[in-house]
Structures are given as structure tokens and as C-alpha cells.
Amino acid sequence: MKFGNWEATGGFFLLMAWLNYLDRQMILPLALAACMLHELGHYWAIRAMGGSVKQIRLTAVGAEMIVSHSLNYWQEGIAALAGPAVNLLLARFFCCLGQETLFSGLNLVLGCFNLLPIRCLDGGRALHCALCLVVGPNAAEQVGKWLSRGFSSLILAGGILLLRGGGNVTLLCVALWLLILEVSHEKAEK
């Protein structure tokens, strides 16, 4: 479904319907607000650096922004870090207020999770940009590949341990999602 330069896929709507069905504590609206503010952080950073966003696509695995022209490594790194920065600032702000601790926690988790050095996350993109400036694109790609695999494997191991210890399946699902994205990223490179 398209709304101007916004596109939402069927998978996005299916995921939202499923999460809404499971949400007994009304967490989904706060989580969506945190995600929207995260994406606005990216958008504002791109605009502040003179770029323009041609399209925003909402999928079951996140949001994608298509920029009208390429950004240099510095600009792309700053744009990647802007989303998590917004979440961490919101977490700090609402934590200091002593109110909305759930919203503060959601922003903290979203910001920290996105800073992991995994290629499909903002931290991985920012690290890739920094490494490209220091050691070049080829070496940066190799380092990024190994860090992505390593951190995704650690999250998978944590998810298995948590599940074996009587916890829930959420971390395991996140790890599988990250590994699927990593495999699809490697197939796209070939």
C-alpha cells in the first residue's frame, strides 16, 4: 500500500495485526512511537546533511529509506547513528521525568539493540562507514561480515540458553531474524 513516498508492505500489516493481537498491555502503540521517532532521527539527519529521502518502505523486518543520492561515508555513518541517538536521548529524558518508564525502557532497548555491530543494524552500518574510511571498503566488508556472524551467533546462543532456562522465545526469534537477514545480505552480494 502506497501513501505518497511511503510504502507499507503486506508483511508489515500482518506483523502489526499479529502483535496487536498478542498485546495485552497496550505496549504496541508505545513501541511504534519509539520506532517512528527512531526513523525520524535518520530522516532528520539525512535532511540536515542536504540529502533527500525518495521513499520510506515499512516491512515486517523494519523500515528502509531510499535516499535520492548517495551519501559519503561520514554522512551515512552519522545518519545511521541518528536513529539510536534519538532513542537514547528519549530514554534519558523520560527516565529523568520519572514518568513513562515503559516508554523510556522501550527507547533504551531499541537504541542499544540498533547499536550492535551487525550489518543489517545501524551500529553495523556506522561501523562499516568508519572502517571504510580507515582501512577501505574491502577490509571493512570482511570485518563487518565476521562481526555480524559473531554477534548474531552470540544472540542465538543467549536465546537458546534463555529458552532452556524457562524463559521465552523472543531472543531466539530475534537471533533467527538476524541470521536470516545476514544470509540474505550475503546472497545479495553474490
Side-chain angles (χ1 to χ4, degrees):
M1 180 174 274
K2 285 194 171 203
F3 312 98
N5 64 344
W6 285 73
E7 179 184 353
T9 65
F12 171 77
F13 287 115
L14 184 62
L15 177 66
M16 291 302 105
W18 181 61
L19 290 174
N20 185 53
Y21 175 75
L22 295 175
D23 187 14
R24 303 279 187 244
Q25 299 172 324
M26 295 303 293
I27 295 173
L28 184 60
L30 292 174
L32 286 174
C35 291
M36 180 62 81
L37 292 166
H38 175 98
E39 295 305 326
L40 283 173
H42 294 306
Y43 180 81
W44 291 328
I46 291 167
R47 298 287 298 170
M49 291 181 285
S52 64
V53 176
K54 192 163 63 171
Q55 183 183 26
I56 299 172
R57 188 167 187 253
L58 304 174
T59 69
V61 294
E64 303 168 355
M65 288 190 190
I66 299 170
V67 181
S68 60
H69 65 280
S70 297
L71 302 173
N72 65 36
Y73 290 127
W74 281 105
Q75 293 171 323
E76 186 178 340
I78 289 169
L81 293 174
V86 166
N87 291 124
L88 295 175
L89 289 170
L90 287 168
R92 178 72 176 145
F93 176 75
F94 283 103
C95 187
C96 287
L97 288 179
Q99 301 289 322
E100 298 299 330
T101 54
L102 177 60
F103 189 61
S104 179
L106 286 168
N107 275 288
L108 181 63
V109 168
L110 183 61
C112 289
F113 177 74
N114 270 283
L115 286 174
L116 290 174
I118 298 173
R119 291 191 290 182
C120 61
L121 300 177
D122 297 328
R125 286 180 42 229
L127 179 62
H128 175 77
C129 292
L131 288 172
C132 282
L133 291 168
V134 176
V135 296
N138 292 335
E141 192 63 37
Q142 291 302 315
V143 171
K145 183 187 304 185
W146 287 106
L147 281 173
S148 290
R149 288 178 182 171
F151 274 87
S152 296
S153 297
L154 284 173
I155 294 170
L156 178 64
I160 292 169
L161 289 173
L162 185 64
L163 190 60
R164 288 188 69 205
N168 71 22
V169 73
T170 305
L171 190 59
L172 186 61
C173 289
V174 168
L176 292 173
W177 169 68
L178 289 171
L179 289 169
I180 289 168
L181 287 177
E182 182 63 27
V183 168
S184 66
H185 181 43
E186 287 183 17
K187 283 184 180 179
E189 289 176 344
K190 292 179 182 179

